[in-house]
Amino acid sequence: VTYSRNDFSCTKRSDTAGLQAILSNTLVAVKTCSKYHKDRLKAVRETWAPLVENLLLVSDKEDPELGTKVLPFTVNTKAGHCNKTLAILEHFRTEEQFKFLVIVDDDTVLSVTRLAQLLSCYSEDDAFLLGQRYGYMSAGGAGYSYITGGGGMILNRAGVTRLLAPPPSSAACSCPAPETPDDMQLGRCARRLQLPVLHSGRMFQVRAISYHSRIVFDQLLDRI
């Protein structure tokens, strides 16, 4: 007999000190651009962002009021964002105090508490890429798995290190073009570099129309 097991948390909500310790070791990076500073990014700043201890807002324009930053060598594109994501990985590599990296879009909704509970189940030592796992041409054996960027992508330091500084026999992950889909490119790199791609049902991307009309915002905040 088999059954679907609900996701569980390795740290209770009541353990505020434990959850805070995890968040202190986590960098949350938001991909955005000046086009969405006044609406999407403003919504992020007014909802879950104040609960994040270490927040990096990566844009094509610096806005002192919102706190956005332009990382070195980034190229802003209308789609794909591979260049921007690789710049975030490079930035994280220099921030050695952090154990985990969370990359989200500027229209991603999350619960910071549940994010910390999820991270508490994973080690900083065993490399991984975590999120809602999709498959591209996987049935035939020639495809690969990848984490869809809309629901957020999570890596630990070991995972970032493997992507950017793999063994000498393999080349580091790079972008064929600045507008290459970042999530799919990371999936291709993960397959080549044997980086485990892990699925979590707590992280997902759907269109607004896919939600039931009676679901309220507070219920959405209760999921990652």
Side-chain angles (χ1 to χ4, degrees):
V1 177
T2 61
Y3 65 95
S4 176
R5 182 175 182 177
N6 293 329
D7 284 336
F8 62 94
S9 302
C10 300
T11 301
K12 296 181 178 180
R13 282 177 176 267
S14 57
D15 185 4
T16 55
L19 295 176
Q20 187 57 48
I22 294 170
L23 293 174
S24 297
N25 291 318
T26 302
L27 177 65
V28 179
V30 180
K31 295 180 297 179
T32 187
C33 64
S34 54
K35 176 182 178 180
Y36 297 120
H37 281 188
K38 294 183 179 180
D39 42 31
R40 292 185 183 182
L41 194 58
K42 185 173 182 292
V44 169
R45 297 284 299 184
E46 293 178 353
T47 52
W48 57 265
L51 302 175
V52 175
E53 182 174 340
N54 306 296
L55 184 68
L56 175 65
L57 305 175
V58 183
S59 182
D60 61 324
K61 181 180 180 181
E62 292 192 357
D63 187 327
E65 183 178 350
L66 293 173
T68 57
K69 293 184 178 181
V70 179
L71 296 181
F73 310 112
T74 54
V75 178
N76 196 63
T77 58
K78 293 184 178 180
H81 314 302
C82 186
N83 172 272
K84 188 174 291 184
T85 296
L86 262 292
I88 292 173
L89 296 181
E90 291 285 0
H91 177 81
F92 176 80
R93 180 161 62 171
T94 65
E95 299 287 337
E96 298 181 356
Q97 69 272 30
F98 299 122
K99 299 178 181 178
F100 298 104
L101 171 64
V102 181
I103 304 176
V104 298
D105 293 340
D106 53 12
D107 58 354
T108 300
V109 178
L110 58 82
S111 163
V112 176
T113 298
R114 284 181 175 257
L115 173 63
Q117 288 180 301
L118 177 63
L119 292 174
S120 69
C121 296
Y122 294 89
S123 166
E124 62 176 295
D125 300 320
D126 299 322
F128 66 82
L129 172 59
L130 171 68
Q132 184 182 23
R133 187 173 65 186
Y134 281 18
Y136 179 75
M137 299 181 67
S138 300
Y144 55 90
S145 298
Y146 67 96
I147 299 301
T148 178
M153 299 181 288
I154 299 177
L155 300 102
N156 61 355
R157 181 157 295 279
V160 173
T161 298
R162 185 173 300 185
L163 286 174
L164 298 182
S169 58
S170 302
C173 188
S174 60
C175 296
E179 66 274 11
T180 297
D182 55 349
D183 49 6
M184 299 185 75
Q185 180 63 13
L186 289 186
R188 285 190 286 265
C189 292
R191 185 177 188 272
R192 176 168 54 85
L193 299 170
Q194 297 182 332
L195 173 65
V197 178
L198 310 179
H199 173 74
S200 172
R202 290 186 173 187
M203 304 172 67
F204 56 87
Q205 72 169 17
V206 293
R207 296 174 300 168
I209 195 175
S210 300
Y211 289 107
H212 194 283
S213 59
R214 291 190 301 175
I215 292 182
V216 296
F217 188 65
D218 287 343
Q219 290 173 311
L220 291 178
L221 285 179
D222 209 29
R223 298 291 303 275
I224 292 180

